[in-house]
Amino acid sequence: MNLPELSQTIRRVRLAQKMTLELLAKRSGFSKGFISQVENFRTTPSLKALEKIAGALGVEVGDLFSGSTPGEEFSFSRLDEGEELKRDDSDRFGIRYLALAYRQPGRKMDPFILEYTEAEPRELMRHDSEEFFVVLEGSLDYFIYDDAHPRRMQPGDTVYLKANIPHRAALAHGCSYAKALVVYSEPAGLSAD
């Protein structure tokens, strides 16, 4: 399953119907927080959950997977050819997500370029996939578990995180732009519905 593509499809269908998160949550029987996690590819919904979400959107479950068929064995691309995805309130937090392998359906990894600009700090987050993060440009402070002891990261510095570890990255003091490559693994497990 291609989680970012599925997540963006759910969001796109919801927005095309001018449906709020609250309304989709109410119609599907889930919390607004769960729907937000699904749309921001922070959790993998079970098939039963997808059936409820699709029903609430008035579409078939298969419609959510259109275009998610197995692709070629390889695909070439460039770092500057990423497709921008909206995730959480990424604009509010000054983070731009560029999906690099969006043309490769059925993938087991999701590589992104993240661009950081000055904005309000985001809270620690967690997700059900492992993450590999490398700083390409600028300087970032990387927080794990809490905000007490950040690790200053420079170009070439990396961090690997197991699933569900609270973390966040933020521009280091005095830095106005940073760029990183992050690779998310296929989620470790399915979420409860």
Side-chain angles (χ1 to χ4, degrees):
M1 173 187 332
N2 178 342
L3 187 58
E5 190 172 309
L6 172 65
S7 299
Q8 294 297 295
T9 298
I10 291 170
R11 180 191 308 250
R12 190 171 40 256
V13 170
R14 177 180 64 77
L15 292 175
Q17 297 179 17
K18 301 198 183 328
M19 187 184 299
T20 63
L21 273 175
E22 293 85 359
L23 184 56
L24 179 55
K26 182 178 177 183
R27 287 183 179 176
S28 64
F30 295 111
S31 69
K32 178 183 171 188
F34 178 76
I35 298 297
S36 177
Q37 287 182 331
V38 168
E39 285 192 2
N40 290 292
F41 49 99
R42 297 230 181 271
T43 191
T44 305
S46 67
L47 185 55
K48 188 175 178 181
L50 284 175
E51 288 171 348
K52 290 179 180 180
I53 291 169
L57 290 168
V59 299
E60 297 294 323
V61 141
D63 295 337
L64 300 177
F65 292 96
S66 61
S68 293
T69 57
E72 299 293 324
E73 292 181 5
F74 59 89
S75 58
F76 290 99
S77 189
R78 294 181 41 83
L79 288 178
D80 58 359
E81 292 178 345
E83 179 175 295
E84 187 167 5
L85 299 179
K86 295 299 180 188
R87 186 173 196 193
D88 296 322
D89 290 328
S90 54
D91 293 336
R92 187 174 107 211
F93 299 117
I95 303 171
R96 186 171 175 231
Y97 288 84
L98 300 167
L100 297 177
Y102 66 95
R103 293 183 186 130
Q104 185 66 43
R107 62 190 173 271
K108 305 279 187 208
M109 301 179 293
D110 280 305
F112 290 87
I113 290 293
L114 275 60
E115 295 179 334
Y116 294 85
T117 54
E118 295 181 80
E120 71 179 88
R122 88 181 323 160
E123 294 179 7
L124 293 169
M125 62 181 169
R126 60 177 71 213
H127 41 78
D128 59 357
S129 60
E130 294 186 4
E131 174 180 321
F132 178 76
F133 186 95
V134 59
V135 177
L136 301 174
E137 296 177 32
S139 182
L140 292 166
D141 287 334
Y142 205 92
F143 302 84
I144 300 176
Y145 292 117
D146 59 39
D147 287 338
H149 305 289
R151 170 75 177 253
R152 178 67 47 93
M153 297 183 73
Q154 304 292 341
D157 290 342
T158 69
V159 61
Y160 186 99
L161 290 172
K162 294 287 189 176
N164 295 308
I165 303 292
H167 66 284
R168 74 181 179 93
L171 285 173
H173 181 72
C175 183
S176 61
Y177 174 82
K179 185 183 218 177
L181 170 70
V182 63
V183 179
Y184 299 106
S185 71
E186 187 170 78
L190 298 178
S191 66
D193 54 352

